Amino acid sequence: MAPGSEHATLAVGQRTHPLTAVVLGLGWSAAAVVGLVSTLFQDGGRGGWGIFGLPAAAGGGLVLGSLIGWLSWRFTTFVIDDHEARVDSGILWKKSRRVPFERLQSVDIHEPLVARVFGLAELHLDSAGGSESRTTVRYLTLARANELRALLLRRAHAATTGEVDSGDSPLAAPPAPAAAGEGEVVAEVPPSRVLVGTLLSLELAGAVIVAAGALIASVWFAAPVAALGGVVGAAFWAFQIVGRRVVDQWGYRLSRVPHGLRIERGLLSRTSETVPFDRVQGVAVVEPIIWRQLGWRRVLVSVAGTGGTGDAADREKAATVLPIADPWLAQRVVDLLVPGAIEEVQDRHRSSSASWVFAPIGWRYRWIGMDDVAVVSRHGWLTRRTSIVPHRKNQSVAVEQGPLQRRLGVASVAVHSPDGPVDVAGPHLRRAEAFTVAVEASRRSRASADQASMRSGSSS
């Protein structure tokens, strides 16, 4: 097929894979079984379903889900033209989701467990702003999803930079054999290391302490039932911590691709996400106290438009760009995300000793500093967190001073950036020093923005 004809086909509109109906039907079937089991537990098995209840629920859910899935597939099309991606859906009420390329933040591939069985995947299009910023195309073959992602990312980059998209649709060429793992591999983290890191985490240590406390309390108060409840609860908590992190980060691979970093991970449901370089708002390096003895750390990233979705565990997973690594590898990833950034800046401003009333131990480990590239801050003694925000991404700077701070002659500086794991702040500095840091950070932010504007103007 000629490139021009392929582009015309995409502009007219395409349907997703026909097996979408089957995948959705299996999902409805599983939901019906779960609902029936829950009902049986609630009424003590007196519902009269007998041995035929589960097969009937599974079969009925499959038939009904497949029918609804087929109708949904029949009335859903996606269109990719020169200006936007569009998904039209709806049986009775029509709905059209449009994503202009200049607002496209990222394009990710998600392979839910059932879809993986059939070799299918979802395409997630995240756009800037709004409460419903994600558009999903489900389901496509994995090869086709990779090809469409390449097309969308290339056109989004062309729309935001003003470059001409000289390449035609990649669908005109046969798929690359290693499309899912393309790019230079930066890091691969084996599941065994993720498991060891999780077993040495403070969260798991907290679960163990809770279980030990329950046992001690049961002996002290002669209440074995209370001990059983505490141990079971702590064991479930520990299982959740270990299981979720290991399953989520299974087969972790970080690759450098044009315009960003690609993250592939997951045991049951596999995801392939791209972190565009131009959307990075800052990075954070996290070092729990046990990990510091082994020289391990975790790298998190704030990406525009993705910081506030999902629960805490989902946000942590989405922000994790390197789950566990040695210092040299972590520094390499930080340098890829924020070129030239370093953790140990020379120009530091530490929290005043008068602030010990706010943090009797932690005040000694707090500082904020900057160099020509970024503003950097560090805090924490049990879990040390170093946050880095490049000057060009600095949205605003604020100096805050409460009544007790005024009495002690201290003030706090906060560098504002989008929601996410990165939090650059200098708490409880001497008042004059706090204003000096704020003025200097604002000056460097303006200078960085002016330089970016000059480079953009010269390139155009």
Side-chain angles (χ1 to χ4, degrees):
M1 182 181 294
S5 62
E6 178 67 32
H7 179 272
T9 302
L10 280 174
V12 170
Q14 292 288 296
R15 287 196 177 94
T16 55
H17 198 279
L19 285 177
T20 296
V22 178
V23 176
L24 294 176
L26 288 173
W28 277 69
S29 178
V33 171
V34 171
L36 177 59
V37 171
S38 176
T39 302
L40 291 176
F41 272 107
Q42 289 176 2
D43 64 9
R46 296 184 298 272
W49 287 86
I51 60 174
F52 301 105
L54 290 180
L62 179 60
V63 172
L64 179 62
S66 297
L67 177 60
I68 296 176
W70 181 85
L71 290 173
S72 175
W73 169 81
R74 180 66 178 78
F75 288 93
T76 299
T77 59
F78 65 92
V79 177
I80 301 175
D81 58 25
D82 292 331
H83 307 287
E84 66 180 7
R86 186 174 78 247
V87 178
D88 299 323
S89 60
I91 301 173
L92 298 178
W93 291 272
K94 299 297 182 181
K95 184 177 182 180
S96 181
R97 297 292 300 271
R98 298 170 182 263
V99 184
F101 290 135
E102 61 271 14
R103 297 185 62 82
L104 185 62
Q105 299 274 16
S106 64
V107 183
D108 301 328
I109 294 175
H110 181 57
E111 301 172 70
L113 178 59
V114 177
R116 288 185 71 187
V117 174
F118 296 92
L120 303 180
E122 300 175 348
L123 202 62
H124 292 173
L125 284 65
D126 288 319
S127 56
S131 58
E132 296 183 359
S133 59
R134 170 164 289 183
T135 301
T136 301
V137 179
R138 62 167 68 94
Y139 292 92
L140 306 166
T141 63
L142 184 58
R144 186 168 177 81
N146 277 288
E147 293 164 351
L148 286 177
R149 173 171 63 179
L151 171 65
L152 291 167
L153 288 176
R154 192 177 66 243
R155 294 195 175 174
H157 179 74
T160 55
T161 61
E163 298 177 4
V164 178
D165 182 12
S166 58
D168 291 306
S169 168
L171 301 180
E182 62 184 357
E184 173 197 355
V185 177
V186 177
E188 290 184 320
V189 182
S192 58
R193 193 170 196 192
V194 176
L195 175 61
V196 173
T198 304
L199 293 176
L200 297 178
S201 66
L202 290 175
E203 293 88 344
L204 189 62
V208 173
I209 291 173
V210 169
L215 285 174
I216 293 173
S218 69
V219 173
W220 185 266
F221 295 104
V225 176
L228 179 62
V231 171
V232 170
F236 181 72
W237 179 21
F239 177 79
Q240 275 192 315
I241 294 171
V242 176
R244 179 157 189 169
R245 289 191 179 178
V246 174
V247 169
D248 284 348
Q249 305 298 343
W250 188 277
Y252 185 95
R253 174 184 289 176
L254 181 67
S255 306
R256 181 174 184 175
V257 296
H259 320 308
L261 294 178
R262 181 164 300 163
I263 302 170
E264 299 166 86
R265 58 189 164 195
L267 174 60
L268 301 179
S269 295
R270 188 96 177 144
T271 60
S272 178
E273 306 156 333
T274 302
V275 179
F277 289 135
D278 57 352
R279 305 294 187 187
V280 173
Q281 306 298 306
V283 296
V285 180
V286 180
E287 304 169 83
I289 188 170
I290 304 176
W291 285 21
R292 289 206 300 272
Q293 314 311 311
L294 303 172
W296 295 345
R297 52 188 59 188
R298 182 166 67 249
V299 180
L300 310 177
V301 63
S302 282
V303 179
T306 62
T309 58
D311 57 22
D314 289 335
R315 291 196 300 271
E316 179 184 358
K317 177 187 174 183
T320 300
V321 75
L322 197 57
I324 183 170
D326 297 316
W328 67 269
L329 181 55
Q331 179 57 50
R332 183 187 178 194
V333 172
V334 170
D335 191 59
L336 286 172
L337 296 169
V338 184
I342 59 174
E343 299 175 40
E344 305 295 338
V345 296
Q346 299 300 316
D347 182 18
R348 299 184 187 179
H349 303 271
R350 296 185 176 276
S351 296
S352 170
S353 58
S355 68
W356 69 269
V357 295
F358 299 103
I361 299 176
W363 73 269
R364 298 177 180 273
Y365 304 93
R366 295 174 171 178
W367 57 261
I368 186 171
M370 67 190 78
D371 56 15
D372 294 335
V373 176
V375 186
V376 184
S377 71
R378 177 175 291 170
H379 68 271
W381 60 283
L382 280 178
T383 299
R384 185 165 69 190
R385 180 182 291 257
T386 304
S387 296
I388 303 171
V389 171
H391 293 304
R392 67 183 185 278
K393 299 295 185 179
N394 179 356
Q395 296 186 345
S396 63
V397 183
V399 177
E400 302 172 352
Q401 191 178 39
L404 183 55
Q405 286 180 307
R406 288 198 296 271
R407 184 173 182 83
L408 297 174
V410 299
S412 298
V413 180
V415 176
H416 297 152
S417 59
D419 290 340
V422 180
D423 181 21
V424 173
H428 314 306
L429 306 178
R430 288 189 292 271
R431 183 179 181 277
E433 198 172 4
F435 280 98
T436 299
V437 171
V439 169
E440 181 63 15
S442 298
R443 185 190 69 81
R444 298 198 183 200
S445 177
R446 288 193 300 270
S448 178
D450 292 341
Q451 291 176 2
S453 298
M454 292 175 60
R455 287 193 298 268
S456 177
S458 61
S459 62
S460 61

